[in-house]
Amino acid sequence: MLQSYLSEIGRSAKSYYEHTARTQPTLPDVVVTLIEMGFNVDTLPAYAKRSQRMVITAPPVTNHPVAPKALSAGQNKPHPAHIPGHLPEFPDPHTYIKTPTCREPVCDYQVLREKAASQRRDVERALTRFMAKTGETQSLFKDDTSTFPLIAARPLSIPYLNALLPSELELQQVEETDSSEQDDQTDTENLSMHMQTDDSGTEKENASVLQQNSLKGGEDTLIDNPYLRPVKKPKLRRKK
């Protein structure tokens, strides 16, 4: 009954101060509420001054420990004059401060060379470790086989074959020289044919026969093996 009586006093007082466009109750609101509920307000001073009254002390104020923030940067801004004080505070500065994260590209030649060299060294180390883990390895020590692993050399049936076979660069150079010589040969033949247009028919037939024989001979002399081809002397350029 006491709980319902106090709840009714609070509800009626709230309705009165909200009716007058206020946000907090005053003493007249409580007095009007008691009068409406049938309570004699004149007996309140005599009841408050009785000798056997009990004074309820205020509860002690305990300061709750403030939990440290996980991330704090700077100090919070206070409210400007046009913002009421009952509104919440501004958030932490780290939530809206702009912090650039990009860096300017490095254009120094020495730094770029050092970076490229370190990357190449790291790639070589990674490849050697991969080959050592996936393939056969040899060790410098008999007891410990994991300290200094060495990539095992694979024996070849013909060890001198790699030294005799030409490399890709040499083959490319040989093909370029052959193509340039064939172009020179065709150019000279075309010039000779244009020079002999005024000759007789017999001379044209003889020239065509010679041209066919020279082409056949050129095809016969082309050999795939570069080591069996005839030696070609380098062209000497005369100084003008």
Side-chain angles (χ1 to χ4, degrees):
M1 292 177 64
L2 177 62
Q3 183 179 358
S4 62
Y5 189 77
L6 294 176
S7 300
E8 182 64 23
I9 292 173
R11 188 187 62 78
S12 300
K14 181 183 177 182
S15 62
Y16 283 125
Y17 72 72
E18 286 182 351
H19 182 69
T20 55
R22 286 184 285 108
T23 58
Q24 293 181 357
T26 58
L27 184 59
D29 297 328
V30 180
V31 172
V32 173
T33 301
L34 293 174
I35 293 171
E36 289 291 333
M37 294 176 66
F39 184 79
N40 189 5
V41 185
D42 296 335
T43 59
L44 283 176
Y47 181 77
K49 293 177 181 180
R50 72 186 187 277
S51 61
Q52 297 178 356
R53 68 181 184 273
M54 183 184 296
V55 179
I56 300 174
T57 58
V61 179
T62 57
N63 296 325
H64 297 283
V66 179
K69 295 181 179 179
L71 181 61
S72 60
Q75 297 178 355
N76 294 342
K77 290 183 179 180
H79 285 299
H82 62 278
I83 297 178
H86 64 274
L87 293 177
E89 298 180 354
F90 283 107
D92 292 335
H94 74 273
T95 59
Y96 58 87
I97 289 177
K98 181 181 179 182
T99 54
T101 57
C102 58
R103 297 181 180 178
E104 295 182 358
V106 180
C107 299
D108 191 7
Y109 177 75
Q110 183 178 359
V111 176
L112 293 176
R113 291 287 295 176
E114 291 177 356
K115 187 175 181 181
S118 64
Q119 289 178 354
R120 185 180 300 173
R121 184 170 60 254
D122 295 339
V123 169
E124 290 177 357
R125 289 178 180 175
L127 287 175
T128 52
R129 290 176 181 174
F130 177 75
M131 293 181 66
K133 288 182 178 180
T134 55
E136 298 180 358
T137 58
Q138 297 176 355
S139 179
L140 296 176
F141 306 100
K142 294 181 179 180
D143 299 334
D144 191 1
T145 59
S146 62
T147 305
F148 296 99
L150 302 176
I151 299 173
R154 297 179 180 177
L156 299 175
S157 59
I158 307 176
Y160 55 85
L161 185 61
N162 292 331
L164 295 177
L165 293 176
S167 61
E168 295 181 358
L169 182 61
E170 293 177 354
L171 291 175
Q172 187 177 2
Q173 292 177 355
V174 170
E175 290 176 357
E176 289 178 355
T177 53
D178 292 343
S179 61
S180 62
E181 289 178 358
Q182 288 180 1
D183 293 339
D184 295 339
Q185 186 177 1
T186 52
D187 292 339
T188 53
E189 290 174 357
N190 291 331
L191 288 173
S192 62
M193 289 177 66
H194 285 295
M195 293 291 292
Q196 294 176 359
T197 52
D198 296 336
D199 295 342
S200 60
T202 57
E203 293 179 354
K204 290 182 181 180
E205 292 177 359
N206 293 330
S208 62
V209 171
L210 291 173
Q211 183 179 0
Q212 291 177 0
N213 293 331
S214 62
L215 288 173
K216 290 180 180 179
E219 291 176 357
D220 295 336
T221 55
L222 291 176
I223 303 173
D224 294 336
N225 193 348
Y227 296 100
L228 299 178
R229 293 178 183 175
V231 179
K232 298 178 182 179
K233 296 181 179 180
K235 297 181 180 179
L236 300 177
R237 295 183 180 180
R238 296 179 181 179
K239 297 182 179 180
K240 295 183 180 180

